[in-house]
Each structure stands twice: as C-alpha cells, then as structure tokens.
C-alpha cells in the first residue's frame, strides 16, 4: 500500500505535455506515455500552455519543439518516463533529453505530415462492396460479349484460365463455320476425294500454320484449317496483340493481390507478455502491429520465440519460455525498438542475471538440429504431481516433460512426489516441494533433494 502511494507522488510537481509519434509521422503513441505520467502523480495537459513544465517529445510537430526551446521548459525523451517508473524517483532530466532529428531539415510548405493511421481490419474487395471493381467487371463482360459477336469475322476469342491468365482458343469460331464446312464435306464425298491428308500435305499445312497454333480447346480438322489459314492468320495475330493489352492490367492486378495476401499471412513466430500492466501491454501490441514479424499470444507455446516481462518475476510464462529456449527480455527492449523504429538485437536486454538458465537454453535451442528437447530431468525418477500443487498440476507436468522428465498418475509408480500429498506414504518415495522443479529450471541444474523435503 505504501509503495503504491509513493509511486503516485513521484512526479507530483510535473505538468507535462506529451507528443510522441512514430518516425514516419503516421502513428501517435502519446496516450500510452501520458497514462504512465498520470500513474506517477504528474499532471498531463492537452495543450501547451504556461503551466507546462515538461515536454515528452519524439518526432513531434516542429512548432512544439520551437515553442519548448523558446519558453525554456524541459524537453525529455520517452526513456525518462520509463526510468522514473523503474527507479521510483524523479530522475534528472539532463540524462534523457529529447532529440529532434528533423530540426535541420527544410520543412515543406502547407503539408500535413502527422497523420494517425491505426491498423484497420482488412476487408476483402468484392464487386458487391466495391463500386470501382464492379465497373471493371461490367466493362470486362461487355468486352467479352463484343469479342463473341465479332467471332464471325474470324477473330479468335481469348477466355480466362482458372489462374487468371488469358488463353487463346478458336473453338467458338468453328460452329459459326459449320454450314460452310458441311457443304465442303458433301462436295468431297460426291467427288470421292481422299479425306486424310498425305505426308506432303501435312508438311505444307504445318509450315503455313506456324503462327496459328491453338493452345486450348478442340482443334478443327486439318483440311478445314488449311482452307481457313490463309484468310485468318493476319487478323488473328493483330487481334491477339490488342486483346492481350486489354487484359494485361487485369493480370497485373491479380499478381499484386496475390502478393498482398502473402504479406498478410499470420507470422509463424509468437511473442508473449508477462508481469506487465495494461499501458505497457498496449505499447507492445502497437509496436508489434507496426513492425510486424510476430503475433502476440497469451501463453508460451511451440511457436513462441520471445517472452517480454515488465519485471524480473519468475512467472509460469517465464519458466515455460526458459524450458522452450526462448528469449527472456525486459520491457526496455520494446522501448528501444520504438526509438529505432525497427527490431534491434535482443542480447543486451536479456534477463540473464535473474534467470541464468535463459541464455543457456536459448543457445541449446539454436544449435539443436531438430525439435528442441531439454534433458534436465531425463535421469530423474518418475514423478507424481499432486492435484493441489501450485503452479497447477497440468502446468508443472508440461514443465517436467519439456525438460525430459517422466510423469505418472499414481504415487505407487513414482520415485518422487511433488506437492502436498495427504494419502498413504509410500516407502522409498521422496516427497518434495514444487519449488524444487522451479529452481532447477531457473538455474538449469539438478539441485539436491535435501532442501526441498516436505514435513
């Protein structure tokens, strides 16, 4: 209770104006840091007035920077806010002065650069909800109808394949020539001509039709093509070029939409937050949405690679992260990623002092050829986990199995019983506290039983 009261009075004499933006001037992070200042007892002003004593600034408006310099108020970065919260005291402002990278750059005239564009839910474009797409579809259908009506002049038709590409097919022109073809066959039968071409006829036909090769559809008979080739070759080549240009925009659009769908695929890696208040969680979520590469998960699982903690507390997610060989990082890593506008190297922010096993397990996972599996409890006796254990029995079982141990369902089969047990004592079975499992994982050592026996 006393600590919470002290935290609420750390910055009681501060009146702050907060202006924190991303480097591309598109996303506003001011609300998150304003809430942290309010939690430490500071007053946050919505306008830059005479009562303001501090300006928390990052990539803000040039006018705010000039006014702060002119009035002499204290210009600080977001790291000053976080440092005050960590130390529980009013930190010296000169150590965390704000920097304005665009101060020396010429500013464009009458151009609005700050626009708050928060991520929106993606909505698939369809003709029903997009008028422009509906107009394009109507125009394409109209063009296809015109091509069908012009087929009687020998113009080939270009339909769409399933993948969105165009394919040449002369099959629609064949039925329109049906009457002429039937008359031709009738004349040939009356004269008893040979309906099958000779080898020399086929060579001549193939040379004359080198530029007229249908790729899809039923090909007409060779005599018919020989009769048709001389009058349709020139028209077909010119028309194919013009129709290909007509649909080139559609093909390019399909390729672009396919690339966008691939970019919107859910990332394979997950990031988990633990021991973190709501304002810090919101900051992490905003940064992940902005920089990408991760999806945020509630609990550590097989896809988790990073566990970000608001403090060095040994939570269940931290232990699961160690057991799976994840990065165990402080929240300061997120803040520096905000400053840099990109994911930065994790190692300087790894909590190796509080969790010595974290870097060891992480390197083991990195060097493992297949699926990572620890062997910490591999040579330990079979364990029975009490149903009333803390952490819960299922969570303890997951930790033991991840570390190579074995779990049974009855005490009679076990060599070690973990957690409080009120049943019949089995001879030869060791009864240990849950802390033995937690300490072994934290230190990556097989600790002796003596300090963990239950009375």
């Amino acid at each position: 209770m006393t600590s919470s009261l002290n935290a609420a009075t750390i910055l009681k004499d501060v009146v702050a104006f907060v202006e924190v933006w991303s480097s591309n001037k598109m996303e506003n992070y001011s609300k998150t840091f304003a809430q942290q200042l309010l939690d430490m007892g500071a007053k946050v002003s919505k306008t830059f007035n005479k009562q303001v004593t501090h300006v928390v600034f990052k990539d803000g408006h040039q006018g705010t920077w000039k006014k702060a310099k002119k009035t002499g108020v204290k210009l600080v970065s977001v790291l000053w806010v976080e440092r005050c919260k960590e130390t529980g005291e009013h930190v010296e402002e000169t150590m965390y002065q704000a920097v304005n990278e665009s101060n020396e750059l010429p500013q464009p005239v009458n151009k609005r650069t700050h626009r708050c564009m928060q991520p929106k839910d993606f909505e698939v474009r369809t003709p029903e909800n997009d008028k422009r797409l509906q107009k394009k579809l109507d125009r394409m259908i109209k063009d296809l109808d015109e091509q069908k009506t012009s087929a009687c002049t020998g113009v080939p038709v270009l339909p769409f394949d399933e993948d969105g590409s165009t394919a040449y097919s002369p099959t629609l022109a064949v039925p329109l020539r049906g009457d002429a073809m039937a008359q031709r066959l009738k004349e040939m039968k009356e004269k008893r001509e040979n309906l099958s071409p000779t080898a020399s006829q086929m060579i001549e036909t193939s040379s004359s039709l080198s530029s007229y090769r249908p790729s899809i559809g039923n090909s007409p008979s060779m005599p018919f093509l020989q009769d048709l080739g001389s009058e349709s070759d020139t028209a077909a080549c010119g028309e194919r070029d013009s129709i290909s240009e007509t649909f080139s925009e559609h093909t390019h659009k399909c390729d672009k939409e396919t690339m966008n769908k691939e970019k919107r695929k859910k990332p394979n890696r997950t990031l988990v937050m633990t021991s973190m208040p709501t304002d810090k969680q919101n900051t992490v979520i905003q940064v992940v949405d902005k920089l990408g590469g991760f999806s945020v998960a509630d609990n550590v699982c097989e896809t988790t690679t990073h566990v970000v903690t608001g403090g060095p507390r040994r939570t269940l997610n931290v232990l699961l992260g160690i057991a799976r060989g994840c990065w165990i990082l402080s929240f300061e890593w997120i803040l520096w990623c905000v400053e840099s506008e990109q994911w930065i190297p994790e190692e300087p922010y790894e909590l190796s002092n509080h969790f010595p096993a974290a870097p060891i397990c992480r390197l083991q996972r990195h060097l493992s050829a297949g699926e990572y599996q620890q062997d910490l409890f591999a040579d330990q006796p079979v364990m029975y986990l009490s149903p009333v254990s803390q952490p819960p029995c299922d969570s303890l079982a997951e930790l033991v199995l991840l570390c190579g141990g074995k779990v049974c369902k009855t005490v009679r089969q076990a060599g070690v019983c973990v957690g409080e047990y009120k049943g019949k004592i089995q001879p030869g079975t060791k009864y240990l506290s849950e802390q033995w499992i937690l300490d072994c994982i934290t230190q990556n050592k097989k600790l002796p039983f003596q300090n963990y026996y239950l009375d």
Side-chain angles (χ1 to χ4, degrees):
M1 185 70 180
T2 305
S3 60
S4 61
L5 291 174
N6 292 336
T9 59
I10 296 172
L11 304 178
K12 62 179 180 179
D13 298 327
V14 173
V15 179
F17 177 71
V18 183
E19 194 163 292
V20 180
W21 290 75
S22 60
S23 60
N24 59 4
K25 319 293 185 186
M26 293 296 181
E27 296 192 25
N28 190 349
Y29 298 116
S30 302
K31 189 175 180 180
T32 300
F33 294 97
Q35 184 59 48
Q36 293 185 17
L37 290 168
L38 291 172
D39 293 341
M40 290 185 284
K43 295 181 181 178
V44 178
S45 175
K46 294 184 179 180
T47 59
F48 194 164
N49 52 42
K50 295 181 180 180
Q51 285 74 35
V52 172
T53 60
H54 291 66
V55 174
V56 181
F57 186 89
K58 179 187 178 298
D59 293 315
H61 293 82
Q62 192 67 13
T64 303
W65 177 268
K66 291 181 179 179
K67 185 175 180 180
K69 286 290 186 182
K70 183 177 180 180
T71 56
V73 300
K74 296 177 180 178
L75 271 165
V76 294
S77 68
V78 295
L79 295 176
W80 176 77
V81 180
E82 181 61 26
R83 192 61 180 167
C84 290
K85 190 167 186 178
E86 287 182 355
T87 60
E89 60 183 13
H90 191 137
V91 178
E92 180 62 34
E93 290 85 353
T94 55
M95 299 173 62
Y96 301 93
Q97 292 184 355
V99 177
N100 186 12
E101 297 179 356
S102 60
N103 193 27
E104 303 297 330
L105 299 176
Q107 298 296 318
V109 180
N110 295 330
K111 183 178 179 182
R112 183 185 177 191
T113 57
H114 287 72
R115 299 177 182 177
C116 190
M117 299 177 65
Q118 299 297 337
K120 296 181 179 179
D121 294 334
F122 174 74
E123 182 179 358
V124 179
R125 293 176 59 194
T126 62
E128 289 75 14
N129 59 23
D130 192 314
K131 293 183 178 179
R132 294 180 62 185
L133 191 60
Q134 181 64 48
K135 289 181 179 179
K136 285 186 178 181
L137 183 61
D138 293 340
R139 187 166 61 250
M140 290 168 61
I141 294 174
K142 184 178 178 181
D143 292 341
L144 287 173
D145 292 338
E146 291 177 356
Q147 291 168 27
K148 290 179 181 179
T149 56
S150 63
C152 60
T153 62
V155 179
V157 179
L158 289 177
F160 283 112
D161 274 341
E162 293 180 357
D163 59 356
S165 61
T166 57
Y168 171 69
S169 175
T171 54
L172 291 178
V174 177
L176 299 175
R177 295 268 180 167
D179 296 338
M181 186 176 181
Q183 183 66 26
R184 173 66 175 160
L185 291 173
K186 183 177 180 181
E187 292 175 359
M188 292 171 68
K189 289 180 180 179
E190 291 175 354
K191 295 178 181 181
R192 300 194 173 202
E193 294 178 4
N194 185 11
L195 297 181
S196 300
T198 63
S200 60
Q201 289 174 329
M202 293 180 67
I203 294 174
E204 291 176 1
T205 304
S206 62
S207 62
S208 64
L209 296 177
S210 59
S211 61
Y212 189 77
R213 295 184 181 273
S215 60
I216 294 179
N218 298 324
S219 298
S221 63
M222 191 62 69
F224 173 68
L225 283 177
Q226 189 173 4
D227 182 61
L228 181 65
S230 60
E231 62 185 70
S232 62
D233 278 350
T234 304
C237 292
E239 191 64 24
R240 273 184 290 175
D241 292 339
S242 61
I243 297 177
S244 297
E245 292 176 0
T246 305
F247 293 105
S248 61
E249 182 181 353
H250 172 80
T251 306
H252 177 70
K253 182 71 174 178
C254 293
D255 294 340
K256 189 173 181 181
E257 289 180 356
T258 303
M259 293 175 63
N260 290 336
K261 288 180 181 179
E262 291 179 355
K263 290 182 179 179
R264 288 192 294 268
K265 286 182 180 178
K266 191 173 181 179
N268 294 328
R269 302 187 304 170
T270 57
L271 179 147
V272 174
M273 300 175 286
T274 184
S275 297
M276 199 174 292
T278 305
D279 55 342
K280 289 186 176 181
Q281 292 182 27
N282 293 335
T283 302
V284 174
I285 293 172
Q286 282 186 324
V287 173
V288 170
D289 288 342
K290 171 64 179 175
L291 302 182
F294 293 96
S295 59
V296 178
D298 294 331
N299 300 304
V300 174
C301 59
E302 62 274 4
T303 61
T304 304
T305 58
H306 292 62
V307 177
V308 181
T309 175
R313 293 182 58 218
R314 188 172 67 178
T315 63
L316 183 59
N317 273 327
V318 167
L319 291 170
L320 287 171
I322 294 173
R324 290 188 179 274
C326 303
W327 286 98
I328 310 297
L329 304 170
S330 68
F331 179 72
E332 194 175 12
W333 176 63
I334 293 292
L335 291 177
W336 280 107
C337 291
V338 173
E339 287 284 335
S340 305
E341 290 294 329
Q342 62 181 351
W343 297 119
I344 62 175
E346 298 94 336
E347 195 163 353
Y349 309 97
E350 191 171 23
L351 297 175
S352 55
N353 292 335
H354 299 89
F355 308 109
I360 299 173
C361 297
R362 173 178 55 78
L363 290 173
Q364 289 176 348
R365 174 180 179 175
H366 178 71
L367 297 174
S368 62
E371 185 177 354
Y372 175 62
Q373 174 66 62
Q374 284 199 40
D375 58 358
L376 180 62
F377 297 138
D379 57 352
Q380 294 295 325
V382 179
M383 302 182 198
Y384 170 78
L385 305 175
S386 172
V388 295
S389 60
Q390 288 297 329
C393 177
D394 292 341
S395 301
L396 276 181
E398 184 178 3
L399 288 172
V400 171
L401 294 174
L402 286 173
C403 295
K406 298 176 284 293
V407 178
C408 63
K409 295 183 178 181
T410 61
V411 180
R412 288 178 295 177
Q413 300 173 339
V416 174
C417 176
V418 178
E420 184 179 356
Y421 181 72
K422 297 182 179 180
K424 182 180 179 180
I425 302 298
Q426 297 295 324
T429 301
K430 296 176 174 59
Y431 294 83
L432 304 178
S433 168
E434 301 93 331
Q435 294 298 318
W436 175 72
I437 293 177
L438 308 183
D439 291 347
C440 287
I441 295 175
T442 303
Q443 301 180 36
N444 197 37
K445 292 181 181 179
K446 301 167 187 175
L447 300 174
F449 298 150
Q450 285 76 5
N451 298 328
Y452 300 95
Y453 283 125
L454 293 175
D455 297 335

